[in-house]
Amino acid sequence: GGFTMVASAPAQRQRGEDMEARPSSEAHHKLGLPTSDDNDDERVPRLAMSSITPREFESRFVRTNRPCILIGVGSGWRACREWADAGRAIFEPLRERFGEEEVTVHDCSKKVLGRYRTSEMRLDALFALWERGEGASLYLKDWNLAMTATAAEGEWYTTPPHFASDWLNGFAHATEQGSDHRFVYVGRASTFTPLHTDVLCSYSWSFNVAGEKKWWLIPPEDGWRLRADSSAGALAHDLRELKSGDASFPGWDAEARSRVLCVRQRPGEAIFVPSCWVHQVSNETDAISINHNWLNGNCAARCWDFLQARRDEIVRIVEGCADDEDTTQQILEFKWSFNFSSWARLLICALDASLLKVETTLAQLASVGFGGDAQ
């Protein structure tokens, strides 16, 4: 058979010995957090994608900014046929097709200034390490597979219609940027993404092609509690490491901990992460996922508020920026991918796309005699 890299649970535990120690379920209870066995199905509902229309989805979840999981999403996707076998990850097709691609890997066993150390390597070199039983802590993230020269548009998957109203990637494509916000993630069991919000506090959807993930979701009103000294400082790394009464996070109290949502995502499921929700993710098994950051008119005001708040932080923290808006805007774009000017261009691009869609629809209606003399 091919190189599937599917291991038994004992083997996965052995591979993960070089990973950072993770608190146990008992420790989670002491911290007031959901345990690994908890699943907030009531607060994070699971729905068959076929049971809810895109318009209903927008009304129930996007406009209300609430998370949910859609099941039955990847039916017919080539990615699901070739990268998974009964829900388990198969890496050989990726190596055969994309082995020469340079990718960015995060080492979940080594932190530099509070962040995982990153490095560039060829995809086939990463898989070779895993095949030898090495590099279990290396996590391939933010891989722009959809924009690689060898991947045709829509070849491996298609964006579900529930997530299709996307100003963020539409702007990247209209302005012919070298990358966008459509990613593939590939990681071994126990690799981890620390607490964060997505770019510009946008939405995200993440589909599990193979494997299982565990998500911790914190509502926007509690995000400030996870920043050092309850200010604009860096987010905490891992909820499971926070202890009650931690002086650096005085706002992280029992009431806030009770609002944390913890859900397990299975193969074939897509999770919707709303705007401004802080979240962290653990790969419970070897996993392959497809992830898009996206935004539209339903969250544009939150994104703009976020960008203004980050600009004000720069002015407050960086000496000289109070009298130098040009430098402030350069720093803003360097750190957050957007500044006020590029945000304005994104809005104009979204408006142009909407007008074009209206014009196309009107032309189609006119061609069949809508509004004319047809009986």
Side-chain angles (χ1 to χ4, degrees), residues 217-239:
L217 305 163
I218 299 90
E221 60 268 24
D222 289 329
W224 65 272
R225 302 173 187 272
L226 291 167
R227 295 190 180 276
D229 303 314
S230 301
S231 67
L235 280 167
H237 183 77
D238 185 346
L239 281 181

Short mmCIF file of all heavy atoms in Angstrom, two decimals, residues 217-239:
data_model
loop_
_atom_site.label_atom_id
_atom_site.label_comp_id
_atom_site.label_asym_id
_atom_site.label_seq_id
_atom_site.Cartn_x
_atom_site.Cartn_y
_atom_site.Cartn_z
N LEU A 217 -13.61 27.81 22.03
CA LEU A 217 -14.12 29.06 21.46
C LEU A 217 -14.53 30.00 22.59
O LEU A 217 -15.29 29.62 23.49
CB LEU A 217 -15.32 28.79 20.57
CG LEU A 217 -15.12 27.78 19.42
CD1 LEU A 217 -16.46 27.31 18.88
CD2 LEU A 217 -14.29 28.40 18.32
N ILE A 218 -14.02 31.24 22.53
CA ILE A 218 -14.29 32.24 23.57
C ILE A 218 -15.04 33.40 22.94
O ILE A 218 -14.55 34.00 21.96
CB ILE A 218 -12.98 32.74 24.22
CG1 ILE A 218 -12.25 31.57 24.90
CG2 ILE A 218 -13.26 33.83 25.23
CD1 ILE A 218 -11.27 30.85 24.01
N PRO A 219 -16.22 33.77 23.43
CA PRO A 219 -17.00 34.84 22.80
C PRO A 219 -16.30 36.18 22.85
O PRO A 219 -15.45 36.42 23.72
CB PRO A 219 -18.31 34.84 23.61
CG PRO A 219 -17.98 34.17 24.90
CD PRO A 219 -16.89 33.19 24.61
N PRO A 220 -16.63 37.08 21.92
CA PRO A 220 -15.92 38.36 21.81
C PRO A 220 -15.89 39.17 23.09
O PRO A 220 -14.90 39.84 23.38
CB PRO A 220 -16.71 39.09 20.71
CG PRO A 220 -17.32 38.02 19.88
CD PRO A 220 -17.64 36.91 20.84
N GLU A 221 -16.97 39.11 23.88
CA GLU A 221 -17.01 39.93 25.09
C GLU A 221 -16.00 39.51 26.14
O GLU A 221 -15.72 40.26 27.08
CB GLU A 221 -18.42 39.91 25.70
CG GLU A 221 -18.93 38.54 26.10
CD GLU A 221 -19.73 37.85 25.00
OE1 GLU A 221 -19.52 38.18 23.80
OE2 GLU A 221 -20.55 36.98 25.33
N ASP A 222 -15.42 38.31 25.98
CA ASP A 222 -14.43 37.83 26.94
C ASP A 222 -13.00 37.86 26.40
O ASP A 222 -12.07 37.49 27.11
CB ASP A 222 -14.76 36.40 27.39
CG ASP A 222 -15.99 36.34 28.27
OD1 ASP A 222 -16.23 37.31 29.01
OD2 ASP A 222 -16.72 35.33 28.22
N GLY A 223 -12.82 38.28 25.15
CA GLY A 223 -11.49 38.25 24.57
C GLY A 223 -10.48 39.08 25.33
O GLY A 223 -9.32 38.67 25.51
N TRP A 224 -10.89 40.26 25.84
CA TRP A 224 -9.96 41.13 26.57
C TRP A 224 -9.42 40.46 27.83
O TRP A 224 -8.31 40.76 28.28
CB TRP A 224 -10.65 42.44 26.95
CG TRP A 224 -11.79 42.28 27.93
CD1 TRP A 224 -13.09 42.02 27.64
CD2 TRP A 224 -11.70 42.34 29.36
NE1 TRP A 224 -13.84 41.92 28.80
CE2 TRP A 224 -13.01 42.11 29.86
CE3 TRP A 224 -10.66 42.55 30.26
CZ2 TRP A 224 -13.28 42.11 31.23
CZ3 TRP A 224 -10.94 42.55 31.63
CH2 TRP A 224 -12.24 42.33 32.10
N ARG A 225 -10.20 39.53 28.38
CA ARG A 225 -9.78 38.86 29.60
C ARG A 225 -8.57 37.95 29.39
O ARG A 225 -7.90 37.56 30.36
CB ARG A 225 -10.94 38.03 30.16
CG ARG A 225 -12.20 38.81 30.46
CD ARG A 225 -13.35 37.89 30.84
NE ARG A 225 -14.61 38.58 30.99
CZ ARG A 225 -15.05 39.14 32.13
NH1 ARG A 225 -14.29 39.07 33.21
NH2 ARG A 225 -16.21 39.73 32.17
N LEU A 226 -8.31 37.59 28.13
CA LEU A 226 -7.20 36.68 27.82
C LEU A 226 -5.96 37.42 27.34
O LEU A 226 -5.01 36.80 26.89
CB LEU A 226 -7.65 35.67 26.76
CG LEU A 226 -8.70 34.67 27.25
CD1 LEU A 226 -9.32 33.92 26.08
CD2 LEU A 226 -8.07 33.69 28.23
N ARG A 227 -5.98 38.74 27.46
CA ARG A 227 -4.81 39.54 27.11
C ARG A 227 -4.08 39.94 28.39
O ARG A 227 -4.71 40.24 29.41
CB ARG A 227 -5.20 40.78 26.31
CG ARG A 227 -5.79 40.41 24.95
CD ARG A 227 -5.97 41.61 24.05
NE ARG A 227 -6.54 41.20 22.76
CZ ARG A 227 -5.82 40.73 21.75
NH1 ARG A 227 -4.50 40.63 21.88
NH2 ARG A 227 -6.40 40.37 20.62
N ALA A 228 -2.76 39.92 28.33
CA ALA A 228 -1.95 40.20 29.50
C ALA A 228 -2.36 41.53 30.12
O ALA A 228 -2.49 42.55 29.43
CB ALA A 228 -0.47 40.22 29.12
N ASP A 229 -2.58 41.50 31.42
CA ASP A 229 -2.95 42.70 32.18
C ASP A 229 -4.26 43.32 31.69
O ASP A 229 -4.49 44.52 31.84
CB ASP A 229 -1.83 43.75 32.13
CG ASP A 229 -0.51 43.18 32.66
OD1 ASP A 229 -0.55 42.53 33.71
OD2 ASP A 229 0.52 43.38 32.01
N SER A 230 -5.11 42.51 31.07
CA SER A 230 -6.42 42.94 30.60
C SER A 230 -6.35 44.16 29.68
O SER A 230 -7.24 45.00 29.66
CB SER A 230 -7.34 43.25 31.80
OG SER A 230 -7.48 42.12 32.62
N SER A 231 -5.27 44.25 28.92
CA SER A 231 -5.09 45.40 28.04
C SER A 231 -4.96 44.90 26.61
O SER A 231 -5.49 43.85 26.25
CB SER A 231 -3.83 46.18 28.44
OG SER A 231 -2.67 45.39 28.20
N ALA A 232 -4.24 45.64 25.80
CA ALA A 232 -4.03 45.22 24.41
C ALA A 232 -2.80 44.32 24.28
O ALA A 232 -2.28 44.15 23.18
CB ALA A 232 -3.86 46.45 23.53
N GLY A 233 -2.33 43.75 25.36
CA GLY A 233 -1.17 42.89 25.32
C GLY A 233 -1.44 41.60 24.57
O GLY A 233 -2.54 41.35 24.09
N ALA A 234 -0.41 40.77 24.46
CA ALA A 234 -0.51 39.52 23.73
C ALA A 234 -1.52 38.59 24.39
O ALA A 234 -1.68 38.57 25.61
CB ALA A 234 0.84 38.85 23.64
N LEU A 235 -2.21 37.83 23.55
CA LEU A 235 -3.12 36.82 24.07
C LEU A 235 -2.36 35.73 24.81
O LEU A 235 -1.20 35.44 24.49
CB LEU A 235 -3.90 36.17 22.92
CG LEU A 235 -5.09 36.94 22.37
CD1 LEU A 235 -5.55 36.32 21.05
CD2 LEU A 235 -6.25 36.95 23.36
N ALA A 236 -3.00 35.13 25.79
CA ALA A 236 -2.44 33.94 26.44
C ALA A 236 -2.19 32.86 25.38
O ALA A 236 -2.79 32.89 24.31
CB ALA A 236 -3.40 33.44 27.51
N HIS A 237 -1.32 31.92 25.70
CA HIS A 237 -0.97 30.89 24.72
C HIS A 237 -2.00 29.77 24.68
O HIS A 237 -2.44 29.37 23.61
CB HIS A 237 0.41 30.32 25.08
CG HIS A 237 0.92 29.30 24.12
ND1 HIS A 237 1.45 29.63 22.90
CD2 HIS A 237 0.97 27.94 24.20
CE1 HIS A 237 1.83 28.53 22.26
NE2 HIS A 237 1.54 27.50 23.03
N ASP A 238 -2.39 29.28 25.85
CA ASP A 238 -3.22 28.08 25.92
C ASP A 238 -4.13 28.19 27.13
O ASP A 238 -3.67 28.38 28.26
CB ASP A 238 -2.31 26.85 26.04
CG ASP A 238 -3.05 25.52 26.00
OD1 ASP A 238 -4.28 25.52 26.14
OD2 ASP A 238 -2.39 24.48 25.81
N LEU A 239 -5.44 28.09 26.91
CA LEU A 239 -6.39 28.15 28.02
C LEU A 239 -6.06 27.16 29.12
O LEU A 239 -6.26 27.42 30.30
CB LEU A 239 -7.80 27.85 27.50
CG LEU A 239 -8.58 28.94 26.77
CD1 LEU A 239 -9.94 28.39 26.39
CD2 LEU A 239 -8.72 30.17 27.62
#
